[in-house]
Amino acid sequence: MNAIILAAGLGSRLKEITKNKHKALIEIKGIPNIERTILYLKEAGINEIYIVTGYLSGQFEYLTYKYGCKLIKNDKYREYNNIYSFYLASKYFCNSYVIDSDVVLFRNLFLDKPISSTYYTITRPKSDELEWNPIINESGIVTDIIISSEYLPSLLGVSFWDQDDSAKILAELEKYNNLSVLEDSKLYWDNIPMSLLGSMEIRVRELSICDAYEMDNIMHYKFISNIGEW
């Protein structure tokens, strides 16, 4: 079991905060956010951690000697979507967590390890923002993912992929490794497993916003900063 953290993006929606510091390194309660994620992973015995960097990549170098993380540099972070980041890390993808670097964890969700492929979800406060909402059947299997502003559990930016489903995703990946796909800013690595839902049995682990949140913009940053001690 390992972890791939996607941390190449610009974080432009955080405006001045990310002008000189990558969003993954913003301090939350006195610790850079990505370090909290790394510490939780290590506490759960997950020591093989790959971080795909791009924007301000040099700021991540210290993680190699402080925590033993392995860095993968994405030089196309301005031109391509994060499917390319996933592609660069794909040779390590097997029994893997895939984690967006803007996910802020308020507790260690990695201690309770899934035995099969799993999406982690939260129900965010009601708003007009579009989110990815998994639809599950009576057996608890994800059958569809809709993109909506409905008040429903939505993908957090943390998922786990078992060995069999990792192989299916990797087999599909080459279809996405072309310019028309990589240059489409509306596509994400998540579109790959989404296209394979009929051939995989993905479950959902629903979390509270007291467990985790995503820091996409200034409003989210303020919300996270005002949450009580964890």
Side-chain angles (χ1 to χ4, degrees):
M1 187 175 284
N2 64 29
I4 296 168
I5 303 176
L6 303 178
L10 291 163
S12 56
R13 287 187 289 174
L14 284 160
K15 300 179 180 178
E16 290 299 311
I17 296 176
T18 52
K19 185 175 181 180
N20 298 306
K21 179 181 284 189
H22 194 280
K23 65 179 179 179
L25 298 169
I26 294 172
E27 289 193 2
I28 306 293
K29 302 298 183 184
I31 182 172
N33 185 49
I34 198 169
E35 287 197 45
R36 186 185 306 278
T37 301
I38 292 167
L39 287 168
Y40 281 159
L41 286 165
K42 286 185 165 289
E43 184 184 12
I46 302 165
N47 295 302
E48 188 180 337
I49 302 170
Y50 302 93
I51 305 172
V52 185
T53 68
Y55 176 60
L56 299 175
S57 60
Q59 294 184 356
F60 293 87
E61 292 292 336
Y62 79 100
L63 298 173
T64 62
Y65 55 82
K66 187 172 183 178
Y67 297 110
C69 300
K70 298 175 177 63
L71 304 185
I72 302 166
K73 189 173 181 180
N74 176 358
D75 290 322
K76 298 288 187 180
Y77 67 91
R78 291 184 184 274
E79 298 98 325
Y80 294 168
N81 56 42
N82 79 347
I83 293 174
Y84 189 64
S85 287
F86 177 73
Y87 175 78
L88 293 175
S90 60
K91 66 180 178 180
Y92 307 110
F93 181 64
C94 182
N95 283 324
S96 299
Y97 286 98
V98 179
I99 306 166
D100 292 342
S101 67
D102 57 6
V103 172
V104 181
L105 302 177
F106 308 144
R107 70 169 179 87
N108 193 347
L109 57 86
F110 307 115
L111 292 173
D112 184 12
K113 296 177 183 175
I115 59 174
S116 60
S117 296
T118 301
Y119 281 123
Y120 291 79
T121 68
I122 59 171
T123 301
R124 295 167 171 81
K126 190 169 177 58
S127 76
D128 293 330
E129 293 183 17
L130 294 176
E131 303 291 351
W132 295 42
N133 311 122
I135 306 301
I136 61 174
N137 63 19
E138 57 188 17
S139 301
I141 304 300
V142 178
T143 58
D144 195 9
I145 295 177
I146 62 171
I147 299 174
S148 78
S149 58
E150 296 294 319
Y151 187 55
L152 295 168
S154 58
L155 300 188
L156 172 65
V158 179
S159 55
F160 173 76
W161 304 95
D162 65 26
Q163 183 173 346
D164 289 345
D165 289 343
S166 296
K168 292 173 185 176
I169 291 168
L170 290 175
E172 191 76 2
L173 178 59
E174 280 305 320
K175 296 180 183 178
Y176 291 77
N177 189 29
N178 61 76
L179 287 179
S180 64
V181 170
L182 297 177
E183 292 179 344
D184 187 343
S185 62
K186 295 180 180 179
L187 294 178
Y188 302 89
W189 99 268
D190 312 78
N191 288 101
I192 305 173
M194 187 174 169
S195 72
L196 296 168
L197 291 178
S199 66
M200 299 190 292
E201 293 191 353
I202 308 168
R203 298 186 178 273
V204 164
R205 189 165 293 181
E206 187 170 351
L207 306 174
S208 160
I209 59 171
C210 295
D211 296 324
Y213 209 74
E214 252 179 313
M215 188 166 56
D216 287 330
N217 55 43
I218 293 291
M219 183 179 68
H220 295 163
Y221 172 67
K222 290 179 178 178
F223 172 80
I224 289 163
S225 299
N226 290 326
I227 287 180
E229 293 299 323
W230 307 339

CSV table of all heavy atoms in Angstrom, one decimal, residues 5-6 11 38-39 41 43 48 52 61 74 93 106 142-143 155 158 164 188 195 199 206 220 222 230:
chain,number,residue,atom,x,y,z
A,5,ILE,N,0.4,11.7,-3.9
A,5,ILE,CA,-0.2,13.1,-3.6
A,5,ILE,C,0.0,13.9,-4.8
A,5,ILE,O,1.1,14.1,-5.3
A,5,ILE,CB,0.4,13.7,-2.3
A,5,ILE,CG1,0.3,12.8,-1.1
A,5,ILE,CG2,-0.2,15.1,-2.1
A,5,ILE,CD1,1.0,13.3,0.1
A,6,LEU,N,-1.1,14.5,-5.3
A,6,LEU,CA,-1.0,15.3,-6.5
A,6,LEU,C,-0.9,16.8,-6.1
A,6,LEU,O,-1.8,17.4,-5.5
A,6,LEU,CB,-2.3,15.1,-7.4
A,6,LEU,CG,-2.5,13.7,-7.8
A,6,LEU,CD1,-3.8,13.6,-8.6
A,6,LEU,CD2,-1.4,13.2,-8.7
A,11,GLY,N,-3.0,26.6,-7.7
A,11,GLY,CA,-3.8,27.1,-6.6
A,11,GLY,C,-4.2,28.5,-6.8
A,11,GLY,O,-4.3,29.3,-5.8
A,38,ILE,N,1.2,13.7,5.4
A,38,ILE,CA,2.3,12.7,5.4
A,38,ILE,C,2.4,12.1,6.8
A,38,ILE,O,2.6,10.8,6.9
A,38,ILE,CB,3.6,13.4,5.1
A,38,ILE,CG1,3.6,13.9,3.6
A,38,ILE,CG2,4.8,12.5,5.4
A,38,ILE,CD1,4.7,14.8,3.2
A,39,LEU,N,2.3,12.8,7.9
A,39,LEU,CA,2.4,12.3,9.2
A,39,LEU,C,1.2,11.3,9.5
A,39,LEU,O,1.5,10.2,10.1
A,39,LEU,CB,2.3,13.4,10.2
A,39,LEU,CG,3.6,14.3,10.3
A,39,LEU,CD1,3.3,15.5,11.1
A,39,LEU,CD2,4.8,13.5,10.9
A,41,LEU,N,-0.3,9.5,7.2
A,41,LEU,CA,0.1,8.3,6.4
A,41,LEU,C,1.1,7.4,7.1
A,41,LEU,O,0.9,6.2,7.2
A,41,LEU,CB,0.6,8.7,5.0
A,41,LEU,CG,-0.5,9.2,4.0
A,41,LEU,CD1,0.2,9.9,2.8
A,41,LEU,CD2,-1.4,8.1,3.5
A,43,GLU,N,1.8,7.4,10.3
A,43,GLU,CA,1.2,6.8,11.5
A,43,GLU,C,0.4,5.5,11.2
A,43,GLU,O,0.4,4.6,12.0
A,43,GLU,CB,0.3,7.8,12.2
A,43,GLU,CG,-0.3,7.3,13.5
A,43,GLU,CD,-1.3,8.3,14.1
A,43,GLU,OE1,-1.7,9.3,13.4
A,43,GLU,OE2,-1.6,8.1,15.3
A,48,GLU,N,5.6,4.6,1.8
A,48,GLU,CA,5.9,4.8,0.4
A,48,GLU,C,5.0,5.9,-0.1
A,48,GLU,O,3.9,5.7,-0.5
A,48,GLU,CB,5.7,3.5,-0.4
A,48,GLU,CG,6.3,3.6,-1.8
A,48,GLU,CD,6.0,2.2,-2.5
A,48,GLU,OE1,5.9,1.2,-1.8
A,48,GLU,OE2,6.0,2.3,-3.7
A,52,VAL,N,3.7,14.4,-6.6
A,52,VAL,CA,3.9,15.0,-7.9
A,52,VAL,C,3.8,16.5,-7.8
A,52,VAL,O,2.8,17.1,-7.4
A,52,VAL,CB,2.8,14.5,-8.9
A,52,VAL,CG1,3.1,15.1,-10.3
A,52,VAL,CG2,2.7,13.0,-9.0
A,61,GLU,N,11.3,20.1,-1.7
A,61,GLU,CA,12.5,19.3,-1.6
A,61,GLU,C,12.8,18.8,-0.2
A,61,GLU,O,13.2,17.7,0.0
A,61,GLU,CB,13.7,20.1,-2.2
A,61,GLU,CG,13.7,20.4,-3.7
A,61,GLU,CD,13.9,19.2,-4.5
A,61,GLU,OE1,14.5,18.2,-4.0
A,61,GLU,OE2,13.5,19.2,-5.7
A,74,ASN,N,6.4,17.5,-12.5
A,74,ASN,CA,5.6,17.7,-13.6
A,74,ASN,C,5.9,19.1,-14.2
A,74,ASN,O,5.5,20.1,-13.7
A,74,ASN,CB,4.1,17.7,-13.2
A,74,ASN,CG,3.2,17.9,-14.4
A,74,ASN,OD1,3.6,18.2,-15.5
A,74,ASN,ND2,1.9,17.9,-14.1
A,93,PHE,N,1.4,3.1,-9.2
A,93,PHE,CA,0.0,3.0,-8.8
A,93,PHE,C,-0.5,1.6,-8.7
A,93,PHE,O,-0.7,0.9,-9.7
A,93,PHE,CB,-0.8,3.7,-9.9
A,93,PHE,CG,-2.3,3.8,-9.7
A,93,PHE,CD1,-2.9,4.4,-8.6
A,93,PHE,CD2,-3.2,3.1,-10.6
A,93,PHE,CE1,-4.2,4.4,-8.4
A,93,PHE,CE2,-4.6,3.1,-10.4
A,93,PHE,CZ,-5.1,3.8,-9.3
A,106,PHE,N,-8.6,16.5,9.4
A,106,PHE,CA,-8.7,16.9,10.8
A,106,PHE,C,-8.5,15.7,11.7
A,106,PHE,O,-8.5,15.9,12.9
A,106,PHE,CB,-10.1,17.6,11.0
A,106,PHE,CG,-10.4,18.7,10.1
A,106,PHE,CD1,-11.7,18.9,9.6
A,106,PHE,CD2,-9.4,19.6,9.7
A,106,PHE,CE1,-12.0,19.9,8.8
A,106,PHE,CE2,-9.7,20.6,8.8
A,106,PHE,CZ,-11.0,20.8,8.4
A,142,VAL,N,-20.8,2.1,-6.1
A,142,VAL,CA,-20.9,3.3,-6.9
A,142,VAL,C,-21.3,2.9,-8.3
A,142,VAL,O,-20.6,2.1,-9.0
A,142,VAL,CB,-19.7,4.1,-6.9
A,142,VAL,CG1,-19.8,5.3,-7.8
A,142,VAL,CG2,-19.3,4.6,-5.5
A,143,THR,N,-22.5,3.4,-8.8
A,143,THR,CA,-22.9,3.0,-10.1
A,143,THR,C,-22.8,4.2,-11.1
A,143,THR,O,-22.8,4.1,-12.3
A,143,THR,CB,-24.4,2.6,-10.1
A,143,THR,OG1,-25.2,3.6,-9.5
A,143,THR,CG2,-24.5,1.3,-9.3
A,155,LEU,N,-17.3,13.9,-3.7
A,155,LEU,CA,-15.9,13.4,-3.6
A,155,LEU,C,-15.1,14.3,-2.9
A,155,LEU,O,-15.1,15.6,-3.1
A,155,LEU,CB,-15.4,13.1,-5.0
A,155,LEU,CG,-16.1,12.1,-5.9
A,155,LEU,CD1,-15.3,11.8,-7.1
A,155,LEU,CD2,-16.4,10.8,-5.1
A,158,VAL,N,-9.8,12.3,-1.9
A,158,VAL,CA,-9.0,11.1,-1.4
A,158,VAL,C,-9.7,9.9,-1.9
A,158,VAL,O,-11.0,9.7,-1.7
A,158,VAL,CB,-9.0,11.1,0.1
A,158,VAL,CG1,-8.2,9.9,0.6
A,158,VAL,CG2,-8.3,12.4,0.7
A,164,ASP,N,-6.7,-5.0,-8.3
A,164,ASP,CA,-7.4,-5.3,-9.5
A,164,ASP,C,-7.9,-4.0,-10.2
A,164,ASP,O,-7.8,-3.9,-11.4
A,164,ASP,CB,-8.6,-6.2,-9.2
A,164,ASP,CG,-8.2,-7.6,-8.8
A,164,ASP,OD1,-7.0,-7.9,-9.1
A,164,ASP,OD2,-9.0,-8.3,-8.3
A,188,TYR,N,-10.1,15.7,-15.3
A,188,TYR,CA,-9.3,15.4,-14.2
A,188,TYR,C,-8.9,13.9,-14.2
A,188,TYR,O,-9.6,13.1,-14.9
A,188,TYR,CB,-10.0,15.7,-12.9
A,188,TYR,CG,-10.4,17.2,-12.8
A,188,TYR,CD1,-11.6,17.6,-13.3
A,188,TYR,CD2,-9.5,18.1,-12.2
A,188,TYR,CE1,-12.0,18.9,-13.2
A,188,TYR,CE2,-9.9,19.5,-12.1
A,188,TYR,CZ,-11.1,19.8,-12.6
A,188,TYR,OH,-11.5,21.2,-12.5
A,195,SER,N,-15.0,6.5,-15.9
A,195,SER,CA,-15.4,5.8,-17.1
A,195,SER,C,-15.5,4.3,-17.0
A,195,SER,O,-16.0,3.6,-17.9
A,195,SER,CB,-14.5,6.2,-18.2
A,195,SER,OG,-13.2,5.6,-18.0
A,199,SER,N,-17.3,-1.7,-14.5
A,199,SER,CA,-16.4,-2.9,-14.4
A,199,SER,C,-15.7,-2.9,-13.0
A,199,SER,O,-14.9,-3.8,-12.8
A,199,SER,CB,-15.3,-2.8,-15.5
A,199,SER,OG,-14.4,-1.7,-15.3
A,206,GLU,N,-18.2,7.7,3.9
A,206,GLU,CA,-18.7,9.0,4.1
A,206,GLU,C,-18.1,9.6,5.3
A,206,GLU,O,-18.2,9.0,6.4
A,206,GLU,CB,-20.2,9.1,4.1
A,206,GLU,CG,-20.7,10.5,4.1
A,206,GLU,CD,-22.2,10.5,3.9
A,206,GLU,OE1,-22.8,9.5,3.5
A,206,GLU,OE2,-22.8,11.6,4.0
A,220,HIS,N,-13.0,28.7,1.6
A,220,HIS,CA,-12.6,27.4,2.2
A,220,HIS,C,-11.5,27.6,3.2
A,220,HIS,O,-11.5,27.0,4.3
A,220,HIS,CB,-12.3,26.4,1.2
A,220,HIS,CG,-13.4,26.1,0.2
A,220,HIS,ND1,-13.1,25.4,-1.0
A,220,HIS,CD2,-14.7,26.3,0.3
A,220,HIS,CE1,-14.3,25.2,-1.6
A,220,HIS,NE2,-15.2,25.7,-0.9
A,222,LYS,N,-10.7,30.2,4.9
A,222,LYS,CA,-11.2,30.9,6.2
A,222,LYS,C,-12.0,29.9,7.0
A,222,LYS,O,-11.9,29.9,8.2
A,222,LYS,CB,-12.0,32.1,5.8
A,222,LYS,CG,-11.1,33.3,5.2
A,222,LYS,CD,-12.0,34.5,4.8
A,222,LYS,CE,-11.1,35.6,4.2
A,222,LYS,NZ,-11.9,36.8,3.8
A,230,TRP,N,-8.1,20.4,16.7
A,230,TRP,CA,-8.4,19.1,16.3
A,230,TRP,C,-7.8,18.1,17.2
A,230,TRP,O,-6.8,18.3,17.8
A,230,TRP,CB,-7.8,18.9,14.9
A,230,TRP,CG,-8.2,20.0,13.9
A,230,TRP,CD1,-9.3,20.8,14.0
A,230,TRP,CD2,-7.5,20.4,12.8
A,230,TRP,NE1,-9.3,21.7,13.0
A,230,TRP,CE2,-8.2,21.5,12.2
A,230,TRP,CE3,-6.3,20.0,12.1
A,230,TRP,CZ2,-7.8,22.1,11.1
A,230,TRP,CZ3,-5.9,20.7,11.0
A,230,TRP,CH2,-6.7,21.7,10.5
